[in-house]
């Protein structure tokens, strides 16, 4: 559930020691310095990845731009990555990209216990979709398509009638529409949790009294709010309003009614000093807005429902740009992305302190005016989804792109990897067992060919850092080429078993609905089936997350369910016999550090519910509420990340003794949670046989040896080196990226 409009990042530092080495490892935006403590300064390079991302998948273009910024910096004209920012880029000594050929995301989960060094060094993980072009080329921003052939293809396509299943065309058609056509309907307002007369928890809300029927000449007003976390929840601390010309007519700091727990400065831009002398209250702002807005005023904003709830106001006529430009399945683009691609304007810059509500309100207003003036077809021609996903059926070339059969120049992003390195007479170092092929320009690479992975390690340790960017490829393909085609499904089956428990015995005629109510207190249930071929009925309960199964065994075993005292036990097979060790390692994973799992909520979680339950916890760093992958509704469980292990442990104790909820240390990291939703939930539970056993015994030593090689390579890196490791997988299936920096 993304109730904030931007990623959160932390700013604390931590110090670790290691023999004769000094290394930065990003953990949130934590700085871990190994070795001499005097080396750790505030200007040391560090990374700030987004905390708790519901959709932790990034695109190839995002990875390319991230690496490009790391190598070139601000000269690249590429913005900082919203999913992982680089601080003090000028102090980076180089970039090393480690490619683990033939290994995919499911291999990491299958051999999780054996990636000991890897899990410790690379503390944050993201997923990449399959690559349709050469993987190395996609990292460097090359598409692998011949320019002349592409131009001919574009010319041929010009004669074809453009077709599109763009959601904006499906909603509004191709012709220009009147202003009122873009207003949210009552149904859309209810669906997007807008406050309206009679809706839940709006008894004390104030109506703007803009009750006149809007027309196509009604005035537009852009609005945006910033909030801070108080003892009650998120409360308004700044509100900005602009008129139809983009002129500021209101920009007020607001003093919250309750004490502030967290200023959320990296997001809100609000500091303690800013609010020191502020006396404006929420009521003052409400009164002023009522006097400013004419009876037929139309408010424009991005996810405006959150702003109106922060204002505790009801307004009947709104244009919500997050809905206006919504993707398929009601997914939404960020305001920053829309402004960049449609308005060609950069907002929410990474070097700014938080968001500027005037800037955001103006951007939302101009986006609405853009579609009103130019029409839906103009927006569809931009192909936002293609740009976002980077790689679709529309291919790019270094100087042209095709949009619905029309030739357009690509937007300039300044010099790329190759141009900038060529200016300095430098080349990309490539260490591998195989040679590069087209479309990679071989003249700009220094290739070090090897006969084995041992030689790859030896040459890489001796060669780095010959160049600002170095690519090292390990290829254990002789072994992994024998991996079954459906290996991802088999790994998913293992985790499906880890999330399954059996409960019973029950009496004949057991009521599954009653049993489900008890077990849902532990977490989301994937399926519940009756086992009737036993002496007495048993139930097989399969959960959606590992924590739920663990809580069911710990808290429901021996309890009275549906009038019966039942045993709750796990499925023990060859694939699950080590579940206790596996769960312990996952709890101790750096990604799950100071993070707890909470379940037992009766309704989908809302912001109000969260703050009512957790406002007493002063050290919460971030809250993650997953969404149902089908309905996209908030789940009935969540993850809380704290600033310290003591705070996390105290929260678990308090929740279990006072909150009427269930809690434990988190097992599921964000990227793993996403994989579980996509891979495991569609896997049928089967009785394992010898044929189903993964060939892990043959590959365990290969993985251990690879893990040692990665550690040795990591130890050879000079200080302030950014290191990125990637699992591209066989035939470019699921790709998983792990990010760390070392020095």
């Amino acid at each position: 559930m993304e109730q904030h409009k931007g990623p959160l990042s932390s700013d604390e530092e931590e110090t670790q020691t290691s023999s004769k080495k000094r290394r930065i490892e990003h953990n949130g935006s934590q700085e871990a310095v190994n070795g001499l403590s005097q080396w750790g300064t505030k200007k040391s390079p560090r990374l700030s990845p987004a905390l708790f991302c519901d959709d932790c998948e990034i695109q190839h273009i995002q990875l390319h731009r991230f690496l490009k910024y790391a190598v070139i910096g601000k000269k690249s004209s590429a913005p900082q990555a919203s999913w992982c920012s680089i601080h003090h880029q000028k102090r980076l000594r180089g970039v090393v990209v480690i490619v683990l050929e033939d290994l995919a995301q499911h291999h990491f989960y299958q051999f999780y216990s054996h990636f000991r060094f890897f899990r410790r060094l690379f503390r944050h993980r993201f997923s990449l979709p399959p690559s349709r072009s050469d993987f190395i080329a996609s990292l460097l921003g090359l598409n692998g398509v011949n320019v002349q052939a592409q131009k001919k293809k574009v010319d041929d396509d010009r004669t074809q009638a453009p077709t599109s299943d763009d959601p904006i065309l499906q909603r509004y058609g191709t012709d220009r529409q009147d202003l009122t056509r873009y207003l949210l309907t009552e149904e859309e307002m209810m669906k997007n949790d807008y406050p309206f007369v009679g809706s839940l928890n709006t008894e004390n809300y104030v109506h703007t009294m803009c009750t006149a029927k809007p027309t196509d000449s009604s005035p537009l007003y852009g609005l945006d709010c910033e909030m801070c976390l108080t003892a009650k929840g998120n409360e308004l601390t700044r509100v900005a309003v602009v008129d139809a010309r983009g002129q500021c007519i209101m920009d007020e700091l607001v003093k919250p009614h309750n004490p502030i727990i967290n200023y959320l400065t990296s997001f809100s831009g609000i500091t303690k000093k800013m609010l020191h002398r502020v006396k404006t209250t929420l009521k003052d702002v409400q009164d002023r807005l009522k006097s400013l807005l004419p009876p037929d005023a139309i408010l424009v904003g991005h996810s405006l429902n959150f702003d109106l709830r922060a204002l505790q106001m009801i307004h009947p006529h709104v244009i919500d740009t997050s809905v206006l430009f919504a993707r398929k399945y009601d997914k939404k683009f960020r305001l920053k992305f829309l402004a960049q691609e449609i308005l060609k304007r950069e907002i929410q810059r990474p070097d700014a302190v938080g968001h500027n509500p005037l800037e955001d309100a103006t951007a939302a207003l101009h986006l609405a005016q853009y579609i009103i003036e130019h029409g839906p077809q103009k927006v569809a021609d931009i192909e936002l989804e293609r740009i976002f996903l980077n790689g679709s059926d529309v291919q790019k070339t270094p100087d042209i792109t095709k949009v619905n059969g029309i030739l357009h120049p690509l937007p300039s992003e300044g010099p790329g990897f190759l141009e900038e390195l060529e200016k300095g007479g430098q080349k990309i170092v490539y260490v591998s067992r195989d040679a590069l092929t087209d479309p990679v320009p071989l003249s700009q690479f220094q290739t070090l060919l090897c006969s084995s992975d041992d030689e790859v390690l030896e040459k890489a340790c001796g060669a780095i850092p010959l160049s600002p960017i170095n690519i090292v490829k390990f290829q254990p393909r002789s072994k992994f080429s024998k991996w079954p085609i459906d290996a991802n499904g088999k790994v998913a089956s293992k985790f499906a078993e880890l999330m399954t428990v059996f409960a019973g015995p029950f009496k004949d005629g057991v009521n599954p609905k009653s049993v489900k109510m008890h077990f849902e207190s532990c977490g989301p249930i994937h399926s519940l089936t009756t086992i009737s071929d036993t002496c007495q009925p048993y139930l097989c309960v399969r959960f959606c997350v590992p924590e739920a199964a663990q809580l069911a065994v710990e808290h429901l075993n021996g309890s009275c369910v549906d009038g019966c005292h039942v045993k709750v036990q796990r499925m023990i097979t060859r694939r699950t016999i080590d579940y206790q060790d596996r769960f312990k390692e996952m709890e101790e994973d750096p990604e799950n550090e100071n993070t707890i799992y909470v379940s037992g909520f009766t309704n989908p979680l809302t912001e109000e519910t969260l703050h009512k339950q957790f406002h007493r916890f002063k050290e919460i760093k971030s809250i993650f509420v997953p969404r149902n992958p089908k309905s996209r509704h908030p789940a009935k469980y969540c993850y809380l990340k704290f600033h310290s292990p003591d705070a996390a442990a105290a929260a678990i104790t308090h929740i279990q003794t006072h909150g009427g909820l269930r809690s434990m240390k988190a097992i599921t990291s964000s990227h793993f949670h996403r994989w579980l939703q996509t891979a495991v939930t569609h896997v049928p539970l089967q009785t394992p046989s010898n044929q189903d056993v993964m060939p892990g015994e043959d590959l365990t030593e290969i993985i251990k040896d690879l893990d040692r090689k990665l550690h040795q390579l990591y130890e050879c890196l000079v200080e302030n080196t950014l290191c990125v490791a990637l699992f591209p997988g066989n035939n470019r299936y699921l790709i998983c990226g792990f990010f760390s920096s070392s020095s």
Side-chain angles (χ1 to χ4, degrees), residues 129-143:
S131 173
R132 297 189 179 189
S133 61
D134 180 89
F135 186 68
I136 300 297
S138 71
L139 288 181
L140 303 177
L142 304 173
N143 66 339

Side-chain angles (χ1 to χ4, degrees), residues 671-684:
H671 69 93
F672 183 47
H673 187 279
R674 175 182 173 83
W675 183 78
L676 285 176
Q677 284 191 323
T678 56
V680 177
T681 55
H682 303 293
V683 173

Side-chain angles (χ1 to χ4, degrees), residues 535-713:
C535 296
Q536 293 177 280
Y538 278 76
L539 289 178
C540 174
V541 185
R542 179 174 163 188
F543 292 97
C544 297
V545 292
E547 292 91 343
Q550 184 69 11
L551 286 174
V553 173
E554 292 178 357
H555 294 278
L556 297 183
N557 185 33
S559 64
C560 183
V561 180
D562 198 33
C564 301
H565 290 278
V566 299
K567 289 182 62 178
V568 179
Q569 51 196 326
R570 288 187 173 277
M571 171 189 287
I572 302 299
T573 67
R574 289 184 59 177
R575 295 192 293 209
T576 64
I577 196 169
D578 65 341
Y579 78 90
Q580 290 180 322
D581 295 333
R582 174 64 62 92
F583 283 179
K584 184 66 175 177
E585 289 179 333
M586 293 171 73
E587 282 182 1
E588 295 173 353
D589 191 287
E591 280 201 306
N592 291 326
E593 189 175 42
N594 305 334
T595 304
I596 69 173
Y597 165 86
V598 185
S599 66
F601 299 96
T602 55
N603 296 305
L605 291 173
T606 63
E607 184 177 0
E608 182 179 0
T609 303
L610 290 170
H611 292 301
K612 181 179 179 181
Q613 289 289 341
F614 305 131
H615 71 270
R616 62 179 60 86
F617 301 136
K618 309 300 182 184
E619 288 196 52
I620 291 181
K621 182 190 296 185
S622 184
I623 300 176
F624 171 44
V625 180
R627 287 184 178 270
N628 184 294
K630 293 183 179 179
S631 68
R632 301 304 298 165
H633 292 158
K636 300 179 184 179
Y637 64 100
C638 65
Y639 295 86
L640 308 181
K641 193 173 190 69
F642 290 84
H643 284 284
S644 69
D646 291 341
I652 292 175
T653 301
H654 182 89
I655 289 170
Q656 297 208 22
T657 55
H658 299 93
L661 304 172
R662 303 193 189 279
S663 183
M664 63 175 287
K665 288 184 178 180
I667 294 174
T668 311
S669 58
S670 58
H671 69 93
F672 183 47
H673 187 279
R674 175 182 173 83
W675 183 78
L676 285 176
Q677 284 191 323
T678 56
V680 177
T681 55
H682 303 293
V683 173
L685 194 64
Q686 300 174 345
T687 303
S689 63
N690 289 335
Q691 287 75 23
D692 293 329
V693 177
M694 298 296 292
E697 296 83 358
D698 298 330
L699 300 176
T700 296
E701 292 304 317
I702 302 295
I703 294 295
K704 288 181 177 179
D705 181 63
L706 183 60
D707 188 54
R708 285 190 291 266
K709 285 183 170 65
L710 294 173
H711 184 242
Q712 291 175 43
L713 177 58

Side-chain angles (χ1 to χ4, degrees), residues 69-222:
Y69 186 85
V71 174
I72 306 175
K74 295 182 179 179
K75 290 186 293 183
S76 68
S77 299
Q80 280 266 31
S82 60
W83 53 277
C84 190
S85 298
I86 302 174
H87 299 271
H88 309 300
Q89 176 274 339
K90 291 183 178 180
R91 293 178 177 265
L92 282 177
R93 295 284 297 276
V95 176
V96 176
V97 178
I98 302 173
V99 180
L100 306 176
E101 188 74 6
D102 297 326
L103 289 182
Q105 190 171 11
H106 62 266
H107 292 124
F108 177 75
Y109 302 136
Q110 171 69 12
F111 298 104
Y112 181 88
S113 299
H114 305 300
F115 280 112
R116 296 186 182 276
F117 292 116
F118 194 87
R119 285 188 286 116
R120 177 172 61 84
L121 298 175
F122 297 85
R123 302 166 70 91
H124 288 271
R125 299 134 201 176
F126 302 85
S127 297
L128 283 166
S131 173
R132 297 189 179 189
S133 61
D134 180 89
F135 186 68
I136 300 297
S138 71
L139 288 181
L140 303 177
L142 304 173
N143 66 339
V145 179
N146 180 271
V147 175
Q148 296 302 322
Q150 176 66 6
K151 287 181 178 178
K152 183 178 184 302
K153 184 178 186 298
V154 170
D155 291 336
D156 293 341
D157 288 339
R158 283 181 173 180
T159 61
Q160 301 177 5
T163 60
S164 175
D165 60 351
D166 193 300
I168 203 164
L169 296 182
Q170 294 177 354
R171 286 195 300 271
Y172 304 113
T174 58
D175 298 331
R176 290 176 56 183
Q177 302 290 328
D178 295 331
L179 182 154
T180 52
R181 176 66 178 86
Y182 300 111
L183 295 175
L184 289 186
T185 64
E186 291 185 6
E187 182 181 355
E188 288 174 324
M189 294 184 76
M190 293 177 63
K191 181 179 180 181
N192 289 277
D193 196 31
Y194 271 82
F196 56 89
V197 177
S199 62
L200 188 64
N201 300 320
T202 59
E203 296 83 1
N204 299 319
Y205 278 33
V206 175
H207 202 291
T208 60
M209 303 310 294
C210 300
T211 55
K213 184 177 180 180
T215 66
D216 294 329
S217 59
S218 293
L220 299 178
Y221 294 87

Side-chain angles (χ1 to χ4, degrees), residues 198-350:
S199 62
L200 188 64
N201 300 320
T202 59
E203 296 83 1
N204 299 319
Y205 278 33
V206 175
H207 202 291
T208 60
M209 303 310 294
C210 300
T211 55
K213 184 177 180 180
T215 66
D216 294 329
S217 59
S218 293
L220 299 178
Y221 294 87
L223 183 145
D224 188 68
C225 297
E226 302 299 342
M227 288 79 81
C228 292
L229 183 63
T230 71
K232 183 181 178 181
N234 274 354
E235 289 193 54
L236 181 72
T237 48
R238 187 179 177 184
V239 56
V241 181
V242 296
D243 62 18
R245 297 172 299 170
Q247 299 297 313
C248 174
I249 61 173
M250 181 177 180
D251 186 9
E252 290 282 353
L253 291 170
V254 184
K255 182 179 181 180
H257 180 70
N258 296 283
I260 294 177
I261 297 173
N262 190 333
Y263 285 88
L264 303 174
T265 303
S266 61
F267 166 71
S268 69
I270 304 297
T271 63
K272 183 177 181 180
K273 183 178 180 180
M274 290 173 64
L275 296 180
H276 180 60
R277 298 181 182 276
V278 173
K279 295 183 179 180
T280 303
T281 65
L282 176 63
K283 186 178 184 306
D284 296 332
V285 170
Q286 292 171 336
D287 291 341
R288 187 173 176 193
L289 275 173
K290 288 176 64 177
S291 65
L292 276 175
L293 298 176
D296 62 340
I298 297 173
L299 291 181
V300 182
H302 195 79
S303 296
L304 196 58
N305 54 309
F306 294 119
D307 302 295
L308 289 175
R309 289 195 174 276
L311 287 164
Q312 295 187 21
M313 299 191 77
I314 294 173
H315 187 82
H317 312 305
V318 301
I319 296 177
D320 188 334
T321 52
S322 73
V323 179
L324 189 63
F325 299 96
R327 304 165 61 195
K328 291 182 179 179
Y329 313 114
D330 294 328
K331 292 184 177 181
K332 298 176 180 179
F333 292 113
R334 288 184 180 274
L335 179 62
K336 178 181 176 68
F337 173 80
L338 293 173
Q340 180 174 319
E341 301 303 332
I342 297 177
L343 305 177
K344 306 304 179 187
R345 181 188 310 168
E346 184 176 6
I347 64 172
Q348 302 172 6
R349 292 182 61 89

